[in-house]
C-alpha cells in the first residue's frame, strides 16, 4: 500500500468533496480516501500493483475537477 496526496482545484462544497471521494474510492485498488475541502487535497491509500496515481488523477479530472499536483 502507498499513500499519496493529490492537490485538487474546483471543489466548492460538501457535494464536490463527496463526489471526489466517491469517484476515487470506486477505483479498483484504492483502500482509503480522505478529501479535505479546505486544504483542497485528497489523501489516497492504494495498492500500486492495482491502481496507479495517474489513473486516480485522471478519474478526478473526468468528473470535472482540476488536479494541480
Ligand atoms: Cu460543490
Amino acid at each position: 500500500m502507498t499513500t499519496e496526496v493529490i492537490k485538487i482545484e474546483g471543489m466548492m462544497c460538501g457535494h464536490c468533496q463527496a463526489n471526489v471521494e466517491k469517484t476515487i474510492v470506486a477505483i479498483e485498488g484504492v483502500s482509503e480516501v480522505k478529501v479535505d475541502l479546505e486544504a483542497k487535497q485528497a489523501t489516497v491509500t492504494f495498492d500500486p500493483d492495482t491502481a496507479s496515481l495517474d489513473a486516480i488523477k485522471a478519474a478526478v479530472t473526468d468528473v470535472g475537477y482540476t488536479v494541480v499536483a
Side-chain angles (χ1 to χ4, degrees):
M1 286 294 167
T2 185
T3 300
E4 297 277 357
V5 175
I6 303 170
K7 292 280 190 182
I8 302 166
E9 290 288 344
M11 296 188 295
M12 308 303 276
C13 67
H15 171 259
C16 298
Q17 181 181 2
N19 198 18
V20 171
E21 281 179 345
K22 186 180 60 152
T23 298
I24 294 175
V25 85
I27 298 165
E28 199 184 344
V30 172
S31 62
E32 194 183 356
V33 56
K34 263 189 233 123
V35 176
D36 187 325
L37 194 59
E38 292 289 308
K40 299 179 181 175
Q41 65 185 28
T43 305
V44 189
T45 303
F46 61 97
D47 178 355
D49 291 334
T50 307
S52 72
L53 190 57
D54 282 349
I56 294 165
K57 288 179 174 179
V60 171
T61 304
D62 278 352
V63 290
Y65 304 98
T66 305
V67 175
V68 291

